[in-house]
């Protein structure tokens, strides 16, 4: 028996598992802390090549390749402590850290500590949510939590046997697929999916995956799916084939800009088209809303009015691993009447035999397209209990305020231009006069140097007409912008100034940009930290920099 037999073969569960975990979690936490310190920023420096070389070095793989099986699967193990120290440290050192205020490219949130701790317990207990005898308490907790979150969408009195319910998914892509699937099961394979040009790419992909006709892509020249454009598209469909059934997909929080479609008005259009389509000899119309990003405004009593009309949707996508600070995955598919989920019912005798169900054992198999699945709802339930609606709502409001503050700082800096005011927590901006090549070069330079993580968005100017509008290919001539997707509610003004300073410093000298806007920006209104100066050289030289900003490490 080798020296590592005990720590390598200890089980996590049972009455003795906690003792083994106490020492090992300490090793993990030390490795996380050490890796983050060595990284020293939002991203490891050096780009893909440097990261790959570091992984090869830790694994002991031959240089220049990924190595053989022995690099990952040695004949003799190294023991739990060494394996955790080396590989967790490697992952932390080479991570894109969403908790760093300068890591702001994607809808990739910094998880709350309470949610991450709850997720540990889910891993230890390891219930599988496909049958009650594998997850007795976890399945009941999931049922309660799903109904509560469905009530957040459709009203707290929407419970009961035919009331609102939700299914746990891996995220927006799976939830959108479920919305399309239920429409297909209701209307048949001739149903047409109608979506705005600002919608998520998973919507047309779901139509392809499910073997449906080519979906109808509606222009969104103002960055949102407008009722007039939708009415025209539906009219054209009906004229070409009277009675055609449709699934209209609206968006509450686009990936590129956070824009929210006018849900109430779109629901009116869909509601008017359904009876007309049915009179044509078939058809009908459903509305699905992809609120994976913007749906978390429901927690904010001050901002939830932005989602007016969401409760009129036939189904809704929500993601708590975006603006809900949960570890991936934490998606939901929500319906106003749980009977709509009937098409997902499925039988496998070893999991939900008819006589077991008749005897009172809950049938869980129809609550997902997956069979084995983690209790991802557990971390959500713990977070809801720990923070409450008010606590989560406050985090949402703080995060949106951070985005507004960054937009103000961009407007105050004459060398930068702002796409438009943020609708949620996404801010698009770029150096004045920078072409697409210069914008892309700035982003890649910051990535390779490990100084900041910014996204990119190709959006037309017309999309800025509506507040915070925009999305992929919305109409007009698309232009490339830097995208800051802000999900850290605790980011400070000094972090935001540091981010803008890094962008200006990374601008290629040959970019050919105008040095500044032709007219100076108006003074900024006072904020909790006063009115900040524009990011002129003198101002940025004297700006205090916190430990979480880019100037804290030798890279700056």
């Amino acid at each position: 028996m080798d020296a590592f037999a005990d720590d390598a073969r200890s089980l996590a569960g049972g009455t003795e598992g906690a003792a083994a975990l106490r020492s090992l979690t300490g090793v993990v936490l030390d490795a996380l802390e050490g890796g983050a310190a060595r990284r020293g920023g939002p991203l490891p420096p050096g780009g893909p090549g440097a990261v790959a070389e570091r992984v090869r070095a830790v694994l002991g793989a031959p240089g220049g390749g990924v190595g053989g099986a022995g690099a990952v699967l040695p004949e003799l193990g190294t023991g739990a402590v060494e394996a955790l120290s080396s590989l967790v440290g490697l992952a932390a050192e080479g991570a894109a850290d969403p908790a760093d205020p300068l890591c702001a490219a994607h809808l990739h949130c910094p998880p709350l500590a309470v949610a991450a701790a709850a997720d540990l317990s889910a891993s230890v207990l390891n219930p599988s949510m496909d049958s009650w005898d594998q997850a007795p308490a976890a399945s009941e907790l999931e049922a309660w939590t799903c109904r509560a979150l469905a009530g957040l969408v459709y009203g707290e009195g929407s419970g009961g046997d035919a009331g609102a319910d939700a299914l746990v998914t891996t995220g927006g892509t799976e939830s959108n697929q479920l919305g399309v699937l239920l429409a297909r099961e209701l209307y048949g394979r001739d149903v047409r999916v109608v979506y705005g040009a600002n919608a998520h790419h998973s919507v047309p992909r779901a139509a392809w995956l499910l073997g449906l006709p080519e979906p109808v892509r509606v222009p969104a020249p103002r960055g949102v799916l407008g009722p007039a454009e939708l009415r025209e598209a539906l009219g054209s469909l009906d004229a070409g084939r009277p009675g055609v059934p449709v699934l209209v997909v609206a968006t509450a929080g686009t990936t590129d800009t956070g824009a929210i479609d006018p849900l109430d008005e779109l629901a009116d259009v869909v509601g008017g088209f359904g009876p007309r389509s049915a009179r044509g000899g078939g058809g009908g119309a459903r509305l699905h809303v992809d609120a994976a990003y913007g749906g978390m405004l429901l927690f904010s009593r001050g901002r939830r009015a932005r989602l007016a009309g969401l409760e009129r949707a036939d189904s809704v996508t929500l993601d708590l691993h975006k603006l809900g600070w949960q570890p991936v995955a934490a998606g939901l598919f929500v319906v106003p009447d749980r009977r709509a989920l009937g098409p997902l019912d499925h039988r496998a005798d070893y999991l939900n035999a008819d006589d077991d169900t008749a005897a009172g054992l809950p049938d869980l198999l129809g609550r997902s397209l997956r069979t084995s699945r983690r209790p991802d709802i557990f971390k959500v339930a713990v977070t809801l209990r720990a923070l409450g609606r008010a606590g989560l709502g406050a985090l949402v409001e703080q995060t949106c305020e951070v985005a507004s503050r960054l937009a103000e700082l961009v407007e105050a800096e004459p060398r930068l231009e702002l796409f438009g005011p943020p609708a949620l927590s996404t801010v698009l901006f770029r150096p004045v006069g920078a072409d697409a090549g210069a914008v892309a070069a700035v982003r890649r330079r910051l990535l390779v140097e490990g100084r900041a993580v910014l996204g990119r968005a190709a959006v037309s100017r017309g999309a800025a007409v509506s507040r915070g509008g925009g999305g992929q290919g919305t109409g007009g001539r698309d232009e490339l912008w830097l995208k800051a997707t802000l999900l850290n509610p605790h980011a400070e003004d000094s972090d935001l100034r540091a981010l803008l300073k890094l962008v200006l410093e990374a601008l290629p000298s040959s970019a050919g940009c105008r040095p500044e806007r032709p007219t100076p920006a108006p003074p900024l209104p006072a904020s909790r930290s006063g009115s900040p100066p524009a990011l002129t050289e003198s101002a940025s030289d004297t700006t205090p920099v916190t430990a979480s900003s880019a100037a804290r490490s030798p890279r700056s």
Side-chain angles (χ1 to χ4, degrees):
M1 185 176 293
D2 63 65
F4 307 119
D6 289 341
D7 65 8
R9 296 206 294 238
S10 297
L11 299 179
T15 57
E16 299 177 359
L21 280 171
R22 282 193 182 94
S23 61
L24 294 179
T25 51
V27 174
V28 169
L29 294 174
D30 287 345
L32 287 171
E33 187 175 38
R38 291 191 299 275
R39 185 181 67 243
L43 196 76
V51 173
E53 181 55 41
R54 176 61 180 153
V55 172
R56 283 194 294 268
V58 172
L59 292 177
V66 297
V72 176
L73 181 60
E75 183 65 28
L76 296 177
T78 62
V81 172
E82 189 285 330
L84 287 169
S85 295
S86 60
L87 295 188
V88 173
L90 169 68
E93 183 179 354
D97 184 2
D100 191 303
L102 301 183
C103 187
H106 302 287
L107 288 165
H108 174 208
C109 74
L112 291 166
V114 66
D119 217 22
L120 170 62
S121 67
S123 294
V124 170
L125 295 170
N126 202 32
S128 183
M129 305 296 287
D130 49 312
S131 66
W132 183 88
D133 58 356
Q134 298 177 86
S139 60
E140 186 68 11
L141 182 62
E142 179 180 87
W144 278 86
T145 307
C146 284
R147 288 195 296 267
L149 291 170
L152 200 64
V153 176
Y154 291 110
E156 294 179 0
S158 59
D161 292 340
D165 202 356
L167 303 181
V168 179
T169 69
T170 53
T173 294
E174 183 184 349
S175 295
N176 288 339
Q177 287 174 355
L178 284 170
V180 176
L181 174 62
L182 290 187
R184 188 193 73 177
E185 295 304 291
L186 179 64
Y187 294 138
R189 291 182 177 272
D190 291 336
V191 66
R192 298 298 297 273
V193 175
V194 180
Y195 69 102
N198 60 338
H200 193 258
H201 65 85
S202 63
V203 174
R205 193 179 189 199
W208 163 78
L209 181 67
L210 293 168
L212 298 182
E214 184 72 19
V216 178
R217 185 175 184 267
V218 182
R222 292 175 300 282
V224 294
L225 176 58
E229 289 83 2
L230 176 61
R231 191 177 291 109
E232 179 180 355
L234 294 179
S236 297
L237 272 177
D238 192 52
R241 186 191 158 193
V244 61
V246 300
L247 171 68
V248 174
V249 180
T251 307
T254 62
T255 303
D256 274 351
T257 68
I260 298 173
D261 290 344
L263 303 179
D264 233 354
E265 296 174 71
L266 296 179
D268 287 341
V269 175
V270 174
F273 180 78
R276 183 178 67 180
S277 175
R279 286 196 301 271
R286 288 174 65 86
L287 174 64
H288 173 75
V289 177
D290 178 1
Y293 181 13
M296 295 307 100
L297 293 184
L298 290 167
F299 288 107
S300 167
R301 298 195 184 276
R303 295 179 185 265
R304 66 173 296 154
R306 297 286 317 281
L307 298 176
L310 183 66
E311 73 285 354
R312 299 174 64 186
D314 295 290
S315 55
V316 174
T317 288
L318 298 177
D319 267 11
L320 280 89
H321 59 239
K322 292 183 170 65
L323 200 56
W325 299 282
Q326 299 298 297
V328 175
L332 291 167
F333 175 71
V334 191
V335 292
D337 185 336
R338 64 175 54 93
R339 291 174 299 186
L341 302 172
L344 302 179
D345 286 347
H346 183 65
R347 291 290 158 190
D349 194 64
Y350 74 103
L351 294 173
N352 61 347
D354 289 338
D355 57 322
D356 280 347
T357 303
L361 293 181
D363 179 2
L364 306 182
L365 197 55
R367 295 194 60 81
S368 178
L369 294 177
R370 295 168 286 154
T371 304
S372 299
R373 61 184 177 94
R374 298 184 78 248
D376 285 319
I377 201 66
F378 186 69
K379 63 203 172 198
V380 176
V382 170
T383 301
L384 296 178
R385 185 178 179 91
L387 275 70
R389 178 171 177 166
L392 279 167
L395 289 178
V396 169
E397 289 165 7
Q398 286 172 231
T399 304
C400 292
E401 289 168 6
V402 168
S404 295
R405 192 62 181 154
L406 178 61
E408 291 173 349
L409 287 168
V410 171
E411 286 204 300
E413 169 51 60
R415 292 170 292 172
L416 297 173
E417 61 177 320
L418 180 70
F419 174 76
L424 290 170
S425 66
T426 298
V427 178
L428 301 189
F429 68 99
R430 64 185 178 190
V432 169
D435 60 17
V439 171
V442 167
R443 176 179 177 270
R444 285 193 290 267
R445 178 177 176 183
L446 293 174
L447 284 176
V448 170
E449 294 176 353
R451 292 170 176 259
V453 189
L454 287 169
R456 53 187 286 166
V459 187
S460 69
R461 283 279 192 176
V465 172
S466 57
R467 183 179 183 273
Q472 298 95 315
T474 53
R477 184 174 66 85
D478 285 349
E479 299 176 357
L480 193 62
W481 300 79
L482 294 170
K483 178 174 70 170
T485 307
L486 300 156
L487 295 177
N488 186 332
H490 308 304
E492 299 179 355
D493 281 5
S494 53
D495 299 312
L496 305 179
R497 290 194 194 96
L499 177 62
L500 299 184
K501 183 173 183 286
L502 287 170
V503 167
L504 291 170
E505 290 173 347
L507 189 66
S509 57
S510 60
C513 302
R514 298 189 303 274
E516 60 183 45
R517 293 194 296 265
T519 56
L524 288 178
S527 72
R528 59 180 178 270
S529 57
S531 297
L535 293 172
T536 59
E537 291 303 317
S538 58
S540 44
D541 285 345
T542 59
T543 297
V545 179
T546 68
S548 59
S549 67
R552 68 184 179 282
S553 74
R555 296 186 222 164
S556 55

